[in-house]
Amino acid sequence: MGVTIPHVIKALTPVTFPAWLALAQKHNGVWGGCYCSYFHDDTEHTVKSEYDGPTFKQRLVVEGVAHAALVFDGDAAIGWCEYGSPVELPGIYHRKEYDAGETKPAPWRITCFFVDRDHRRSGVAREALNGALELIARAGGGEVVSFPNELAPGKRTSSSFLHNGTRTMFEKAGFTFERHIGKSKTVMRKTIPPARG
């Protein structure tokens, strides 16, 4: 019987970008060619409409305004959890409704997960979430807000609908439910202490 090598979490950087891109391209750009840029907006140096998806995302990574925890199986990225500041990731669903009820904006938000189709339903999304929280702790910690879906009991749902994970997964990670926005989205929050050392 072979030895199982544990998955490793790495931050999305210019060094890990090729592995991230290989995973995105394996799945035709993810979510219909989004290349995990839906929640991003233009930056001071990069206008989204002037680039294709992979180039736009790569420019944001180089600028240091695109963050994700990548789950690696050997040399291959098999999943990710996108996180960042509200300035980096302004394009959330139901934003008007969210903003109207937000009394204490968090410095961090988690907006997107993606898992390789060959590794789904095996805990990779949860590994990516834990990795993102660890990277946030290393960056100084603080409050994290996210918008996972609440599933109807027993209902099967497409993975694209679950691009931000499920309420249950976030509860298991220690997030607290605050409220609903839209039909099935939730607002959940957790405070992450800064990493020691």
Side-chain angles (χ1 to χ4, degrees), residues 108-182:
W108 299 99
R109 61 177 47 157
I110 290 172
T111 54
C112 184
F113 291 83
F114 186 76
V115 176
D116 186 316
R117 64 176 156 261
D118 298 328
H119 294 271
R120 290 184 185 154
R121 304 200 189 291
S122 64
V124 173
R126 178 64 194 272
E127 287 181 86
L129 174 58
N130 291 342
L133 297 178
E134 185 179 317
L135 291 170
I136 287 169
R138 285 192 219 157
E143 276 195 327
V144 182
V145 70
S146 194
F147 317 98
N149 286 81
E150 187 162 50
L151 299 179
K155 185 180 177 190
R156 298 275 301 173
T157 306
S158 78
S159 58
S160 60
F161 178 73
L162 298 177
H163 69 273
N164 206 145
T166 64
R167 174 177 172 173
T168 302
M169 181 176 74
F170 276 82
E171 285 175 337
K172 287 177 180 173
F175 280 73
T176 302
F177 169 81
E178 286 188 355
R179 59 192 164 108
H180 289 95
I181 54 173

Side-chain angles (χ1 to χ4, degrees), residues 39-42 85-93 95 109 111:
F39 301 104
H40 288 289
D41 205 348
D42 299 344
S85 71
V87 172
E88 290 175 23
L89 299 166
I92 61 172
Y93 289 109
R95 178 158 175 195
R109 61 177 47 157
T111 54

Side-chain angles (χ1 to χ4, degrees), residues 1-160:
M1 201 162 137
V3 176
T4 302
I5 299 170
H7 295 154
V8 174
I9 301 293
K10 297 180 184 178
L12 176 60
T13 66
V15 173
T16 59
F17 182 81
W20 176 92
L21 183 59
L23 174 57
Q25 288 177 330
K26 176 181 175 181
H27 296 83
N28 301 314
V30 179
W31 314 141
C34 165
Y35 283 95
C36 205
S37 62
Y38 179 85
F39 301 104
H40 288 289
D41 205 348
D42 299 344
T43 71
E44 188 181 340
H45 307 287
T46 303
V47 176
K48 191 187 253 190
S49 62
E50 294 178 359
Y51 298 95
D52 64 12
T55 306
F56 176 70
K57 187 73 172 189
Q58 185 173 27
R59 287 180 64 91
L60 298 186
V61 171
V62 170
E63 288 178 32
V65 294
H67 295 89
L70 304 181
V71 181
F72 275 81
D73 184 15
D75 292 330
I78 60 168
W80 71 67
C81 172
E82 178 181 65
Y83 69 93
S85 71
V87 172
E88 290 175 23
L89 299 166
I92 61 172
Y93 289 109
H94 311 292
R95 178 158 175 195
K96 284 184 180 176
E97 190 178 350
Y98 168 72
D99 286 347
E102 183 57 83
T103 56
K104 48 183 197 260
W108 299 99
R109 61 177 47 157
I110 290 172
T111 54
C112 184
F113 291 83
F114 186 76
V115 176
D116 186 316
R117 64 176 156 261
D118 298 328
H119 294 271
R120 290 184 185 154
R121 304 200 189 291
S122 64
V124 173
R126 178 64 194 272
E127 287 181 86
L129 174 58
N130 291 342
L133 297 178
E134 185 179 317
L135 291 170
I136 287 169
R138 285 192 219 157
E143 276 195 327
V144 182
V145 70
S146 194
F147 317 98
N149 286 81
E150 187 162 50
L151 299 179
K155 185 180 177 190
R156 298 275 301 173
T157 306
S158 78
S159 58
S160 60

